[in-house]
Amino acid sequence: MKKHILQMKSLNLILSDARYFSPSWVFACVNILTGTWILYLPFIKQKFDLNDGQIGFALFFTALGLLISIPFVPYINKKIGVGRSTKIGVIALAILFNLPLLVPTYVSLCVCLLIMGVFSGFTDISMNALVATIEKKENQNFMSAAHGFFSLGGFIGAGVGSLLMSQFSNPSFHMLGISVFIILTTIVLAKNYENIKNIPVQESIKKVSVFRYLKPLLVLSIIAFIIMFNEGAVEHWSTLFLFDVVQASESKAGLGFIIFSLTMTIGRFLGDGVSYKIGAIKTIVFGSIVAFIAYMLIITANLYVSVLGFGLLGFGLSVIIPEIYRLAGKTKEIDTSLAISFVSGFGFVGFLIGPVLLGVISNWSTLTSSYLFLAALLVISFFLAFFGLKRKG
């Protein structure tokens, strides 16, 4: 019973104290907006008469904007504080997510998505830096549970949004209603975090931090790249794997991603308790082992065993990225926003190229070979965490 209470401590902390619920709600807000917007991609495709290639090219601008933002976020966070940056970012996103449904041309759609990408990167880095700063100041662990709220937000946006779609004759009204809800809740809750600023870095350390402490950040960044490479690949290719390799019916082909998303959410709600008990580095190590075993189940190409594998994969991967951000945020010698932007930048690149490279490998060989490649990457993640981080830890 005590172990269960410990594992749920961070979730109880968030649900019982507005100081922790408010920044966690930001994570949910971002993915509620994203989940709702994704529902209307078919509408946008039909509106502009686009093929899949044109949709993919337009979405590329979101990724480009996100990458463009990364170098500038630490400076802005330092200038106005991580709390105020987070509040501005969420409100800006709530407004910007309405524009793709309103713009008249394909070119203006691409421009909107570029701007959305910039503010998505700004908000993502700011909110992670905010949680890392609060953790450091108050010696509390809730980064993983905050990421659990992100996963929960996606379910609310896409799941509940699917039920609400039929109630709106115009998609813009649905998106606007969600945006107003996000803005109002942000204005009410932001008072609990908007005055939080970065923890100052000692001047004597600043001069040597970039070179002396690049190695641990680089190791964290490579692990982030590998894990988000996996997340992006599974998000795009799990359904196709079950359909093409396992020969599942269309109605069952989506089971892999559904169970993956569910266990990802549960794993992140439990992750802080695990991290508190065994430490961040061991959590990354064991998460990599669990995810590797999951791939061995997936490639059996038996429907039920493969779906079980996707569920286990969600558990394994769920705890790793929050722990990487936690470790980056606790690097005393480097500004929190700078450390997280450096690590998340690598991660975002992995998330973007993962689905593409998996497709290339599948085209050159088989989709099963692609999944073996993902498993091999997790072996690298294991060794990096075990040997590259252990001494620093």
Side-chain angles (χ1 to χ4, degrees):
M1 175 63 78
K2 286 183 179 179
K3 182 178 179 182
H4 177 71
I5 292 173
L6 177 65
Q7 289 179 331
M8 298 301 289
K9 180 183 176 183
S10 60
L11 183 57
N12 292 333
L13 184 73
I14 289 172
L15 296 178
S16 63
D17 193 329
R19 291 181 304 154
Y20 303 107
F21 176 78
S22 299
S24 300
W25 178 244
V26 174
F27 283 71
C29 287
V30 171
N31 224 17
I32 289 173
L33 289 167
T34 304
T36 305
W37 137 255
I38 286 173
L39 291 174
Y40 290 108
L41 273 176
F43 168 80
I44 290 173
K45 182 180 179 181
Q46 187 176 21
K47 176 182 176 180
F48 295 112
D49 192 24
L50 306 176
N51 59 38
D52 289 344
Q54 290 169 318
I55 282 285
F57 182 72
L59 293 176
F60 165 77
F61 282 90
T62 304
L64 180 62
L66 190 145
L67 292 173
I68 289 171
S69 71
I70 289 172
F72 304 101
V73 180
Y75 173 79
I76 298 172
N77 283 353
K78 184 178 179 181
K79 200 76 175 173
I80 67 175
V82 287
R84 192 164 285 110
S85 291
T86 300
K87 177 184 177 181
I88 292 170
V90 177
I91 292 175
L93 275 182
I95 296 170
L96 289 169
F97 266 91
N98 289 272
L99 298 184
L101 296 171
L102 300 172
V103 292
T105 66
Y106 179 67
V107 173
S108 56
L109 172 67
C110 293
V111 172
C112 285
L113 293 177
L114 178 70
I115 299 170
M116 279 171 56
V118 170
F119 278 90
S120 292
F122 173 67
T123 308
D124 186 273
I125 293 170
S126 298
M127 68 187 189
N128 277 289
L130 173 64
V131 170
T133 300
I134 295 172
E135 282 194 330
K136 193 186 292 186
K137 283 184 174 181
E138 304 193 16
N139 195 28
Q140 293 284 3
N141 278 20
F142 71 107
M143 176 69 83
S144 186
H147 279 258
F149 270 77
F150 182 84
S151 301
L152 182 63
F155 172 78
I156 294 172
V160 178
S162 296
L163 301 176
L164 292 176
M165 285 179 75
S166 60
Q167 305 301 313
F168 294 91
S169 57
N170 188 326
S172 299
F173 296 153
H174 183 189
M175 194 73 239
L176 180 61
I178 295 297
S179 296
V180 170
F181 170 71
I182 297 298
I183 291 171
L184 290 177
T185 55
T186 298
I187 290 172
V188 171
L189 295 173
K191 62 184 179 182
N192 294 300
Y193 61 76
E194 63 182 326
N195 293 321
I196 293 177
K197 298 184 181 296
N198 301 38
I199 297 174
V201 180
Q202 296 178 23
E203 289 295 331
S204 59
I205 295 176
K206 282 181 183 178
K207 296 175 183 177
V208 297
S209 62
V210 174
F211 298 102
R212 184 178 173 187
Y213 297 98
L214 181 62
K215 183 181 177 181
L217 276 185
L218 188 59
V219 172
L220 286 172
S221 299
I222 295 171
I223 297 173
F225 175 91
I226 289 171
I227 300 307
M228 292 190 73
F229 186 106
N230 273 261
E231 288 185 20
V234 170
E235 181 176 312
H236 288 80
W237 289 93
S238 57
T239 301
L240 285 172
F241 182 88
L242 289 182
F243 186 74
D244 292 339
V245 178
V246 182
Q247 306 271 302
S249 63
E250 287 188 19
S251 61
K252 293 181 178 178
L255 286 175
F257 185 65
I258 292 171
I259 192 69
F260 172 80
S261 300
L262 178 63
T263 54
M264 177 79 78
T265 303
I266 295 170
R268 284 178 169 171
F269 281 142
L270 298 174
D272 292 302
V274 175
S275 176
Y276 182 83
K277 191 171 182 64
I278 68 175
I281 294 171
K282 285 185 179 178
T283 302
I284 295 172
V285 168
F286 287 123
S288 299
I289 293 172
V290 170
F292 177 83
I293 294 171
Y295 278 122
M296 297 303 101
L297 296 177
I298 290 170
I299 62 174
T300 60
N302 175 281
L303 177 61
Y304 299 105
V305 177
S306 293
V307 169
L308 175 64
F310 279 113
L312 194 62
L313 183 64
F315 274 124
L317 295 182
S318 66
V319 292
I320 300 179
I321 289 297
E323 295 310 311
I324 288 172
Y325 284 161
R326 194 196 309 279
L327 287 172
K330 287 183 176 179
T331 307
K332 295 179 181 179
E333 299 82 4
I334 302 176
D335 176 79
T336 300
S337 293
L338 179 61
I340 288 179
S341 65
F342 184 81
V343 172
S344 64
F346 272 75
F348 286 139
V349 172
F351 189 82
L352 295 173
I353 72 170
V356 178
L357 188 54
L358 211 70
V360 171
I361 296 172
S362 177
N363 188 55
W364 173 70
S365 182
T366 64
L367 196 49
T368 301
S369 299
S370 298
Y371 272 70
L372 285 170
F373 175 72
L374 294 176
L377 287 178
L378 287 169
V379 174
I380 297 173
S381 171
F382 167 82
F383 282 108
L384 284 172
F386 191 82
F387 296 106
L389 296 178
K390 199 169 184 180
R391 274 172 282 179
K392 181 65 179 175

